[in-house]
Amino acid sequence: MRIVIDMQGVQGSSAKRGIGRYTLAFAQAVLKSDRDHEILIALNGADTDLVLDIRSAFTGMLPQDNIKVWHTPKKVSDLFDGDPWLRRSAEVLREAFLANLRPDVLLVSSLFEGLDSSTVTSIGQVTTRIPTAVILFDLIPYLHRFPYLQNPSIETWYERKLDHLRRADAWLAISEATQRDAIRWLSLPPERVVNISSAVDDNFRTMDLSETDRDRINKRYGLFRPFVMYTGGIDYRKNIEGLIRAFAKLPTDIRKAHQLAIVCSIQEDSRATLSHLASSLGLDSDELVLTGYVPEDDLVQLYNMCSLFVFSSTYEGFGLPILEAMRCGAAVIGANSSSIPEVIGWNEAMFDPTSDDAISAKMSEALSDTNFRSKLIENGAQRAKLFSWEVTASRALDAIEELHRSTAKRAPDPGQKSRPKLAYFSPLPPERSGIAGFSVELLPELARHYDIDVIVAQKGVSDIWVRANVPVRSIQWFEKNASSYNRILYHFGNSMFHEHMIGLLGRFPGVVVLHDFFLSGLHSYRQVHEGMANAWDRELFHSHGYPAIWERLRTSVDTIQKYPCSQRTIEDASGLIIHSNYSAKLVREYYGASSQINMRTVPLARAAVKLLSKQAARKELGIDEDAFVVCSFGILAPTKLNHRLMDALSASALSRDKQCKLVFVGSNGWPEYAALLEKKKSWFTGITGWVSDETYRVYLAAADVAVQLRTDSRGETSAAVLDCLNAGLPTIINANGSMAEIDPEAVIQLDDAFTDEALTDALDRLHGDAGLRRTLATRAQNYAATRHSPRLCADMYADFIESVYGGVTVQDVLGAVAALPEVPRAGEDLVTFAECVDRTIPRTARVPNLLIDISGLVTGKDHARKQELITTINELLLDPSRDRRAETISFDAEIGRFRYARDFTFSMLGCPIALGEDSVVDVRNGDVFVNADPSISGGDARRDAIVLEWKAQGVSVGHTIAEWRKRAVANPAAPPFGAGLMVIRA
């Protein structure tokens, strides 16, 4: 299960107080649990320094890639000149960001944030599909509207947060009292409100302090006598005035022997008020000590040193200071209200907080009765053992797991009244494309789930079902009406039939079915045959970086065969459907982290077609009824190993059977290969050339055995093999690419690198054993029907498409923002928000980048090591590894931003090409920033600020190129360089 924790509880105004400490310790405890869950932490990027501090707190506990940062405008607080439109827009953006992390459960650490900070929280503004749990600290303002909600702005803010709170699916209360309040006053379902309790860090412990340590603390805070201590903040409900009045009521001898230390941050107006109160009660100036903010280390020592800890609060969500004091060995007394009795657990240690006399009497007893004080310390020690972060994390995870179980089968959105409208992009008959034939089989089944329009770039469609059942739209029509579609599905293959989809996918994102992992043929066709300048080069560079461009322009490498050029298509896809695990493996191998795109394997749909009887088929083809016919289907090519089949058949017993006939059903588009096959052709071999679908099916019916071989698979799935299985043909294949995934019980499966002898043996076995042929025929049809039926595959398509569109896109964000009742105050607010959207929801996934700052080289600053640097940089740029991409960047002082330095770098590599793609640098979590040479990078405060901000976003900074070069040479197999270095000289 993937759990995403919104960590803004440690980023808001309470970051340094109880909520902040609770949030951080709780998240760390969850990470230390032995539950097998994936944990992601989400941070608000408004405060760069704070993000860096939080990242540091999880060092060694959580991979930095699991810490995700989103971005919000800074003018969003409710009290301090916050822009209502920006705040509401930021809520939408945050929810979209969290939804796109695809959590199984979202945990909100603190919902009541944003009153006086740039934190932003909400639930259900964009989607209600994400099961959401909220840590509930208390309902204090709700229960005590005076004085907390007297300000109308604060009251409005709080009521909005309550509304969001009610939309949650589970509530993790930090005490039994808070649990009771939530059920009673908000009518929340009791089974979903769980008391997870609380704990304190191990830093809070008993200490053996030396006299030197005690003297240092006493002098630092003006403590000259034994002291009574309180900590927890200055607040109406904390009843500090009552504590001071109770202290003043102590017997004179006890009071004069002690000081009262109020240990917490304090504003000057509060300091003046409390000091005046103490003076009016006759307390001397040294009897009340207001320490101000105290670092945690000092706080622990003060707990250890105090004579008595008093907590006189009238209401608490839990009361962490009580537990902290107990853990430090203090004698503790407290109020008998709200959650405090749960912590103290002994009636004798409690008092009525509304009575100054009761507080004073209990203080006097604790300070004067040695036996009672010892019992207080012993009670605290025993009670403290009952609370631990391990227990709290375990209770929380139990509740989250139960929430996940109960919502995993959540009913569809009741607002969905009809089938979603789907734009379906694919070539269709009469186009000579295998994908066209695939689509006419899938469409009728997919139409059970969607109201479909097919979008084509062809003059007409010949398929009867399509013409009778779905509108056929042109590309131009779609562009004008794209907003009317709820879903978009693109079928991509490596041919000219898909050329029009490339630009459309970038403008109108949708789910992509990647029939061919290699799209290099498509892109090279656009540049070479369609005259689209740099179309192929741009895709080569985008998918494979500098090594691919260098090899294309400087070497004889066949870059069409070597480089897939499919990364942009994969990145731009909202979700990716592939037809085999082998294709998924290729995505990961070539594009590394970009394979994190939402991807699912769905078997290639292939329907069984009614065929002629064998007798009728052979009569139509002019083949003797007694002949033994071996067919191989598909375009003839070296990768199909047609020549190997001819050689094996010549060596088999079939070559001595005058009734044997080998037929290649397909065209031969390779002149050199055609000549080779003609030389090998014998009296029993025929090559049909291209045939119609009807003739193709006649050969399926006429054949006795099919042989479908392959080498150098490029991620495609063979429809011809599935047709053979559906036809009940005993079929020989080799375990290459996706064919390795076919059930070996349904075919005769040879090794990927099979020998001619093995193929000859398989042919002889099938020729001589009619029973084996019948067994394989039955198994083949059963396998095809149960795994590749269009109905089953269409159901899987629909399930995946709906899961993809369950996420939130940029278009969804913009639509939700446009519907807000508030309006932006100024045009600059629109620009600010647009920048946050771009940084928070990048349109594409990609591999991590090694960002090499070559500012000095670009600006032409003279340097003695310039040539040496160029050589080193070139070596990194041409590193062929696939898990990280090297990019050169340069700081543009005019705009105060980094730009890519691509055209300069092509020239540096000796490649005569300019793609004009020196845009502003786009950084992502996991990137690495290195200085080519700090001495020529130049100094600019704006540059330094950008690099620090990148670090907060998860970019690794502070490296020199020499360090990274040394690492690569020492261990070429280690990230980020993978396969080692390809060394050239400039």
Side-chain angles (χ1 to χ4, degrees), residues 673-854:
Y673 194 61
L676 171 66
L677 295 183
E678 283 298 324
K679 290 180 181 179
K680 291 179 175 290
K681 187 174 177 183
S682 65
W683 59 269
F684 57 80
T685 304
I687 300 175
T688 66
W690 182 86
V691 297
S692 67
D693 288 347
E694 291 76 13
T695 303
Y696 170 75
R697 291 168 184 162
V698 174
Y699 274 104
L700 283 171
D704 291 292
V705 169
V707 182
Q708 302 296 130
L709 306 174
R710 183 68 207 236
T711 188
D712 294 331
S713 173
R714 309 173 95 199
E716 70 288 328
T717 297
S718 174
V721 171
L722 299 181
D723 288 336
C724 294
L725 301 184
N726 270 317
L729 271 178
T731 304
I732 301 171
I733 64 172
N734 64 318
N736 181 261
S738 63
M739 290 199 299
E741 300 170 33
I742 295 176
D743 184 357
E745 294 294 315
V747 293
I748 291 183
Q749 189 179 84
L750 307 179
D751 292 339
D752 182 12
F754 64 92
T755 63
D756 286 352
E757 290 76 15
L759 178 54
T760 297
D761 179 66
L763 288 164
D764 284 340
R765 286 171 58 205
L766 288 176
H767 178 238
D769 191 340
L772 175 60
R773 295 199 301 272
R774 287 192 295 271
T775 298
L776 286 176
T778 302
R779 290 176 180 173
Q781 288 180 321
N782 289 340
Y783 172 79
T786 55
R787 180 171 171 79
H788 294 276
S789 77
R791 187 178 186 89
L792 171 66
C793 295
D795 290 347
M796 296 173 71
Y797 266 62
D799 181 70
F800 178 67
I801 292 169
E802 292 313 295
S803 75
V804 168
Y805 281 91
V808 181
T809 66
V810 171
Q811 288 78 9
D812 294 329
V813 170
L814 299 180
V817 168
L820 293 175
E822 296 85 359
V823 295
R825 294 193 300 198
E828 64 183 39
D829 289 346
L830 291 170
V831 174
T832 298
F833 180 67
E835 290 177 344
C836 290
V837 171
D838 185 58
R839 296 170 68 194
T840 298
I841 310 180
R843 285 197 54 189
T844 61
R846 65 161 172 77
V847 296
N849 282 347
L850 176 65
L851 302 167
I852 307 171
D853 181 5
I854 61 168

Side-chain angles (χ1 to χ4, degrees), residues 104-120:
D104 291 305
V105 173
L106 170 65
L107 174 59
V108 179
S109 63
S110 180
L111 182 64
F112 291 85
E113 297 287 347
L115 180 63
D116 53 359
S117 68
S118 294
T119 46
V120 176

